[in-house]
Amino acid sequence: MNTNTARNIVYFDLETRRSAAEVGGWHETGKMGISVAVTFSTRDNAYHIYTEDQAEALIQELQQADLVVGYNHIGFDYGVLQPHSFWTIADHTRNCDICTYLTEKIGHRLKLDSVAKPTLGGNSKTAEGTDALKWWAEYEKEHDPQKLLDIAKYCCYDVKVTMEVYKFGAANGYVLYEDKNGEPVKVEVDWEL
């Protein structure tokens, strides 16, 4: 019998099939489509990779989580995912959106990389979102599964970086970000594992 009562934190990110420019702007996230979505669940200590046709299973995993952690996932990723749910996803999940949390603290938005680099040290990104869009376009033309794998690897890495930033903040009570001069600035956070 498993008596593990630890919270199931699900770290989450997704990549889209189309850019904001292709669908008429950032207010049309629901038209962008999902190329690949990735979660990491602390319950089973594993990554889960989803494609658009598996969106229902993804939503179910997010709803069953004790906490969903992402970076701008409420403002962006949930908007992309929303056409696959009758219910407003953000209303049926418990969330820590690191981007929103930090924006409220410091008064302006930060890229994940601007937080991850000084907090974790070194470079945090393996590619850019535009690379994922390019890989999807190539996949649609060539049906080369390697292109989907490239997107999944990139997305998994973003999930890992998000998880490491969150864990650092939970353990230390702060994260760092780079200001306009590239100097690290400390931001206190109140996150729990």
Side-chain angles (χ1 to χ4, degrees), residues 18-26 32:
R18 290 172 287 286
S19 69
E22 291 176 283
V23 298
W26 289 105
M32 291 182 175

Side-chain angles (χ1 to χ4, degrees), residues 5 29 39 43-44 50 64-65 77 110-111 114 131-132 135 139 149 159 177 182 185 188:
T5 58
T29 54
T39 62
R43 176 167 293 143
D44 57 12
Y50 299 90
Q64 291 174 352
D77 302 60
L110 298 166
K111 291 183 175 183
S114 299
D131 292 323
W135 294 329
Y139 171 76
L149 186 58
V159 168
Y177 73 91
V185 178
E188 291 186 5

Side-chain angles (χ1 to χ4, degrees), residues 116-134:
K117 273 188 197 175
T119 300
L120 305 175
N123 292 325
S124 60
K125 297 288 273 185
T126 58
E128 296 296 326
T130 52
D131 292 323
L133 289 168
K134 181 186 70 145

Side-chain angles (χ1 to χ4, degrees), residues 8 64 140 158:
N8 180 30
Q64 291 174 352
E140 282 192 308
D158 269 5

Side-chain angles (χ1 to χ4, degrees), residues 142-161:
E142 304 161 11
H143 300 286
D144 178 359
Q146 182 60 46
K147 298 303 175 185
L148 270 185
L149 186 58
D150 290 341
I151 300 168
K153 285 179 183 176
Y154 166 67
C155 196
C156 282
Y157 196 77
D158 269 5
V159 168
K160 179 183 179 195
V161 169

Side-chain angles (χ1 to χ4, degrees), residues 3-4 11 35 40 49-51 56 58-60 74 77-79 83-84 87 93 101 116 139 144 151 159-160 170:
T3 58
N4 182 2
Y11 300 90
S35 60
F40 181 90
I49 298 171
Y50 299 90
T51 56
E56 188 176 310
L58 168 60
I59 292 167
Q60 186 174 26
I74 293 174
D77 302 60
Y78 281 177
H84 300 279
W87 306 103
T93 49
Y101 185 98
Y139 171 76
D144 178 359
I151 300 168
V159 168
K160 179 183 179 195

